Amino acid sequence: MSIRLVIESVVFVYPDGTRALDGVDLEIGPGELVAIVGQNGSGKSTLVRHLNGLLRPTEGRVLIDGRDAAHFHVAQLAAQVGLAFQNPDRQIFAGRVRAEVAFGPRNLRLRGATLERAVDEALDAVGLTGAADANSYDLGYSRRKLLAIASVLAMRTPVVVLDEPTTGQDARGVARVRSIVERLSAEGRTVITISHDMRFVAETSRRVVVMRAGRIVLDGTPAEVFAQPNWPALASTYLEPTLPARVGARLELGSTPTEASLVAALAARAARAAQEG
Amino acid sequence: MTADGEIGTRRSTLPEYVLRPTSGPYRSLNPATKLIIGIVEVVAAFVVGHWTGPLLVLLVIALVGWRAHVTRQLLLVGSLTLPVVGSILLINTFLLPGATDAILRVGPLAPTWSGLAFGLQVTLRLLAISLALALVYLTTPIDDLLSDLEARGLGRRLVFVVGAAVNTVPRTIERAAEILDAQRARGLDTEGRFWQRARGVLPLAAPVIFGALTEVEEQTMALEARAFSAPARRTVLRPLPDSAAQRLLRWALFLGAVAAVAGEMAGLLRLP
Ligand SMILES: Nc1ncnc2c1ncn2[C@@H]1O[C@H](COP(=O)(O)OP(=O)(O)OP(=O)(O)O)[C@@H](O)[C@H]1O
Ligand SMILES: [Mg+2]
């Protein structure tokens, strides 16, 4: 069900002259699980807003499933690319939780039982089934954020973009986001997350794109991006490698961005030592 | 709000609300002087004669606006009043009760000269009042006006409430734009047919207003946390330039306005 996204030499300048994207080339294949990271103001949100036409490139092209996004309305592209905003309060408006989640799929002309099913599934995915009839504004910040995500999931788009889903979430909330992302990916959908939480990024994504000042400076698997030679590049956009990555480097175990990879590398070394000794 | 990187990083898209130069002709006057001038203009447009007051005020505004380089903005404000003004003119011309001096008759319609004259007077007054207030706004940063009024002893609470309300405007516009974007991202059609767009935009009023209110509430709490209500005398951090001449002008204008109101009420002024 998934589609290919291509961003071709995109430059974007805001009306006030801010050059937020300065020549970005990025291709994301069907079903990829990608994280976009980079310091505040590096252009992450600006970039993903090009994927559904909310922003149009000043220069360059955006191809959604092989077709130039310039020829489609946002409302049309929204059926392909679902985007959950960074700030849930700029997204939530419908009063009741259920109505909020139903808004997107209704716009995509889902009706009746299909609509109900889409809404129920989305609420279930974020763990808000029990709050379906609550007033959206009565939910705490972290649950409003999950609600904003659910309202995008319900549209069942082949591509799902989550702008900073982990910000403001406690450990349980982050775990929840992680399970949402993994579930979407298992369904074969393309998932793009923006996050400042490097642990979350290393553990959930299969590809990490690092941005600085409107450009992509690193692009690879977590093990590649968090490898020691890239640390200066990461530091230049105020990112730190994860703790397991630093420990792994100190112990000369290679690139171990996650706890699991660190443990595996340690186990392998122990096994080798046992064999030799 | 911790999660909102955007407020921190985004530069306002409405710089003219923030960047109003305070030097140059008229602009450099003390905010209170400009406010008094504005108020006196409003009063004069209302009470002095039928034509004299509004026309005189409009003339003054045109001259001052030209000197302060805000003619273009004043014209914009003027054109914004057109729908209201236009309908007032039409209604009075055609429907002024008791008017009999018909200009012509077209079937059941009979526009009258006295209706037209009355409508024009109302129109000129409205225009003069809106432009007088716009002139104060365009030449005076609201923060300056408020801190000046505060230094003159106006209640801090009142100053804060007015200031918060005014400051909310540009941010509310930005928020409204982003909320609209979020709904477009969920398939709301704002590029299609007109009625579709209208239907989509209406429900967004709620989060815009809700957001503006929470923001002001949070600001209030943040201020309280910084001892806003502590009962101590405050130092004026940034006294704004004032002069004896301006003080004199303000009193003269004030007394002149009182005299004009009194004269008009006593029927002494018989201006056209
Ligand atoms: N509406 C706007 N008008 C003008 N400049 C803007 C606007 N929105 C963003 N910018 C600027 O564009 C640049 C990129 O912003 P963007 O929001 O894409 O960054 P980001 O990587 O998402 O940052 P964050 O991590 O803070 O969310 C920044 O310099 C920002 O100030
Ligand atoms: Mg952002």
Side-chain angles (χ1 to χ4, degrees):
Chain A
M1 93 188 268
S2 219
I3 58 176
R4 177 172 301 276
L5 307 171
V6 179
I7 290 172
E8 263 181 20
S9 329
V10 166
V11 171
F12 181 79
V13 183
Y14 278 105
D16 69 353
T18 308
R19 203 175 172 88
L21 297 179
D22 191 18
V24 171
D25 281 289
L26 183 65
E27 184 168 340
I28 296 177
E32 276 204 72
L33 176 46
V34 186
I36 303 179
V37 301
Q39 72 187 84
N40 292 127
S42 54
K44 307 178 295 292
S45 298
T46 305
L47 179 63
V48 295
R49 279 172 196 220
H50 280 77
L51 295 175
N52 65 358
L54 279 177
L55 296 177
R56 307 288 184 172
T58 312
E59 285 168 35
R61 288 199 305 170
V62 176
L63 303 178
I64 309 291
D65 204 14
R67 284 169 296 189
D68 192 337
H71 304 315
F72 299 92
H73 288 175
V74 180
Q76 293 166 314
L77 296 171
Q80 305 293 320
V81 180
L83 169 62
F85 274 47
Q86 193 163 337
N87 182 348
D89 296 330
R90 305 261 166 115
Q91 178 170 325
I92 292 170
F93 75 101
R96 301 272 155 209
V97 165
R98 176 167 274 281
E100 183 69 37
V101 176
F103 178 78
R106 285 174 66 100
N107 284 332
L108 300 185
R109 308 260 176 279
L110 295 195
R111 294 289 184 269
T114 333
L115 176 65
E116 294 303 311
R117 204 156 358 99
V119 172
D120 288 336
E121 274 177 24
L123 285 172
D124 179 52
V126 302
L128 283 180
T129 307
D133 296 311
N135 192 317
S136 315
Y137 297 119
D138 290 339
L139 303 181
Y141 180 80
S142 125
R143 297 175 96 203
R144 288 209 298 283
K145 194 114 187 176
L146 291 170
L147 170 58
I149 295 174
S151 65
V152 170
L153 297 186
M155 295 165 68
R156 297 171 159 170
T157 49
V159 181
V160 176
V161 184
L162 306 177
D163 196 345
E164 301 204 6
T166 53
T167 312
Q169 302 278 11
D170 56 17
R172 199 173 57 143
V174 174
R176 174 68 78 180
V177 173
R178 191 177 157 171
S179 79
I180 295 168
V181 167
E182 279 162 359
R183 186 156 148 185
L184 289 170
S185 183
E187 289 168 5
R189 303 209 244 176
T190 306
V191 185
I192 302 171
T193 56
I194 294 178
S195 179
H196 291 288
D197 179 344
M198 290 307 116
R199 179 174 162 199
F200 169 85
V201 166
E203 287 178 354
T204 47
S205 359
R206 285 197 282 275
R207 177 178 171 193
V208 182
V209 172
V210 182
M211 294 191 69
R212 179 183 63 213
R215 293 183 186 204
I216 293 175
V217 289
L218 291 172
D219 182 353
T221 64
E224 287 163 3
V225 165
F226 291 110
Q228 198 166 10
N230 288 329
W231 291 4
L234 290 176
S236 74
T237 187
Y238 301 103
L239 297 177
E240 276 192 343
T242 58
L243 182 62
R246 281 177 284 150
V247 172
R250 279 289 277 280
L251 300 177
E252 296 178 345
L253 288 166
S255 184
T256 55
T258 61
E259 251 174 69
S261 59
L262 177 60
V263 169
L266 281 170
R269 172 181 283 187
R272 242 179 295 124
Q275 253 173 20
E276 286 163 16
Chain B
M1 218 171 271
T2 50
D4 202 338
E6 271 163 50
I7 285 182
T9 54
R10 170 182 292 194
R11 259 175 274 151
S12 174
T13 41
L14 301 159
E16 69 269 27
Y17 283 92
V18 189
L19 300 170
R20 267 166 292 179
T22 52
S23 56
Y26 197 70
R27 290 173 181 274
S28 59
L29 288 181
N30 181 282
T33 309
K34 285 180 279 186
L35 183 65
I36 296 274
I37 293 177
I39 292 173
V40 169
E41 281 167 347
V42 169
V43 171
F46 247 109
V47 301
V48 179
H50 299 294
W51 303 97
T52 322
L55 284 175
L56 202 67
V57 168
L58 282 172
L59 184 70
V60 170
I61 293 176
L63 284 174
V64 172
W66 171 64
R67 293 289 290 143
H69 303 292
V70 289
T71 307
R72 226 165 37 96
Q73 288 94 319
L74 285 177
L75 286 176
L76 184 71
V77 173
S79 65
L80 287 180
T81 64
L82 275 183
V84 179
V85 156
S87 52
I88 289 176
L89 203 57
L90 276 181
I91 289 173
N92 279 300
T93 310
F94 283 93
L95 301 170
L96 186 71
T100 48
D101 45 353
I103 303 170
L104 76 167
R105 268 179 203 288
V106 201
L109 295 175
T112 59
W113 287 113
S114 45
L116 179 65
F118 184 74
L120 267 178
Q121 283 169 16
V122 177
T123 297
L124 288 176
R125 283 197 176 124
L126 264 183
L127 203 60
I129 291 165
S130 1
L131 293 184
L133 295 178
L135 185 62
V136 176
Y137 183 77
L138 290 169
T139 55
T140 317
I142 297 296
D143 288 345
D144 281 7
L145 178 60
L146 290 174
S147 67
D148 189 66
L149 293 181
E150 193 183 330
R152 289 171 199 281
L154 197 77
R156 293 161 49 71
R157 224 153 258 289
L158 185 66
V159 166
F160 170 71
V161 168
V162 175
V166 171
N167 282 325
T168 312
V169 171
R171 271 186 282 162
T172 302
I173 294 174
E174 276 192 7
R175 180 182 304 106
E178 174 141 339
I179 288 177
L180 189 59
D181 273 358
Q183 310 321 321
R184 294 169 69 202
R186 289 197 284 160
L188 175 68
D189 194 353
T190 54
E191 292 154 297
R193 272 165 294 168
F194 175 77
W195 70 268
Q196 271 178 336
R197 280 183 280 162
R199 200 187 48 172
V201 171
L202 275 179
L204 304 184
V208 172
I209 295 167
F210 176 81
L213 289 179
T214 6
E215 198 162 87
V216 172
E217 191 187 338
E218 273 169 25
Q219 271 180 2
T220 315
M221 289 195 289
L223 278 181
E224 291 298 349
R226 289 180 286 164
F228 177 68
S229 325
R233 239 189 93 84
R234 267 135 191 120
T235 320
V236 177
L237 290 177
R238 189 172 47 119
L240 293 154
D242 202 358
S243 63
Q246 285 191 50
R247 229 169 330 230
L248 198 69
L249 175 67
R250 287 198 296 267
W251 277 109
L253 282 169
F254 176 71
L255 293 176
V258 171
V261 174
E264 192 64 43
M265 284 196 335
L268 293 175
L269 291 173
R270 288 179 188 284
L271 293 167

